[in-house]
Amino acid sequence: MSELHSSVFLVMVSGQIESGAFPGLDELYCKCSFVYGQDWVITSGSEEGLSQVTVKGNDNRQLFVWNFPLDITFKSTSPYGWPQLVISCYGPDVFGTDVVHGYGSVRVPISPGCHTREVNMFVPESSSSLQKFSAWFFGRRPEFVDPRVVAKGEGREVTRVRSQGKIRVRFNIVTRDMKKLGYDCEPATLQHPYVPPGASRAYKGEEEGREET
């Protein structure tokens, strides 16, 4: 059992999707999901979520406030495929049909502590003016079949998109047993990485050998 625990590390993610700014819109709700690599497993919490519908604020900022909670814990043996949070926003168009008003993704911070991220959102666009008018008239705007595709690179270079809005996300990150596997993500040591004992002497001897040759 001790060998099993020493071979994995934990990443605990909490926080919330706080607010968003989408000029020209009045009502929005969010869907969110986490995308991660094959070595990652969810031990607790929810992989997906759906927020409440909120209306734009009446103050000068005109923000959509959700304060939608995030709470999930991962375990993994490798940092490859570090989790990303994918957000998609929906709301009614002029005909009252729910359509997508923004996609965005942000990687979960690697260092423990409290982090705030601004996520730039975008929407797919039709490839021609005729298709754009047809989509508006019939209320069938372009959207991804699986929103999680925005966290992947495959096929993104051929997708035409338009920037639309921003979302503010707050993360609270707690990690466990990462240093035991040789991964140092502490904020205080990222600028001054930990050097194992003897490594500096070996590096110095290597440099002296280069100078002699």
Side-chain angles (χ1 to χ4, degrees), residues 152-208:
K152 304 174 182 179
E154 297 84 355
R156 288 286 305 277
E157 69 277 0
V158 297
T159 305
R160 179 179 297 182
V161 299
R162 170 174 52 88
S163 297
Q164 180 166 293
K166 293 183 179 181
I167 284 184
R168 181 184 178 93
V169 183
R170 184 177 299 274
F171 291 102
N172 298 307
I173 307 298
V174 178
T175 61
R176 179 179 177 183
D177 293 337
M178 292 198 69
K179 284 190 175 182
K180 291 183 179 179
L181 296 181
Y183 305 115
D184 188 358
C185 297
E186 295 293 336
T189 58
L190 288 176
Q191 296 180 351
H192 304 282
Y194 170 72
V195 179
S200 58
R201 293 193 297 270
Y203 177 77
K204 183 178 180 181
E206 182 181 349
E207 288 296 316
E208 292 176 351

Side-chain angles (χ1 to χ4, degrees), residues 3-152:
E3 182 180 354
L4 175 63
H5 282 291
S6 64
S7 64
V8 300
F9 60 83
L10 297 178
V11 178
M12 289 158 273
V13 183
S14 62
Q16 56 187 2
I17 301 175
E18 291 186 343
S19 60
F22 289 80
L25 301 179
D26 296 320
E27 293 183 6
L28 283 178
Y29 64 91
C30 291
K31 293 181 180 180
C32 66
S33 60
F34 286 91
V35 178
Y36 45 90
Q38 296 181 353
D39 293 334
W40 293 74
V41 177
I42 297 176
T43 61
S44 65
S46 178
E47 181 179 357
E48 300 180 344
L50 178 65
S51 77
Q52 76 280 10
V53 179
T54 186
V55 296
K56 181 170 55 180
N58 294 324
D59 58 3
N60 294 330
R61 297 180 301 168
Q62 296 188 335
L63 296 177
F64 295 90
V65 179
W66 294 286
N67 290 328
F68 183 72
L70 304 172
D71 187 9
I72 192 169
T73 300
F74 298 93
K75 72 175 180 180
S76 179
T77 58
S78 169
Y80 181 78
W82 194 274
Q84 298 182 64
L85 175 65
V86 175
I87 305 172
S88 50
C89 291
Y90 297 85
D93 60 7
V94 294
F95 300 107
T97 304
D98 272 3
V99 296
V100 64
H101 286 295
Y103 293 106
S105 66
V106 58
R107 195 170 298 277
V108 171
I110 63 172
S111 58
C114 183
H115 307 266
T116 301
R117 296 288 186 267
E118 294 281 347
V119 184
N120 293 317
M121 308 294 286
F122 65 88
V123 289
E125 281 207 320
S126 302
S127 57
S128 67
S129 300
L130 178 60
Q131 289 180 343
K132 185 180 296 186
F133 173 78
S134 176
W136 174 84
F137 185 79
F138 291 103
R140 297 178 180 177
R141 297 187 181 182
E143 61 180 275
F144 297 118
V145 176
D146 185 359
R148 291 176 293 184
V149 72
V150 304
K152 304 174 182 179

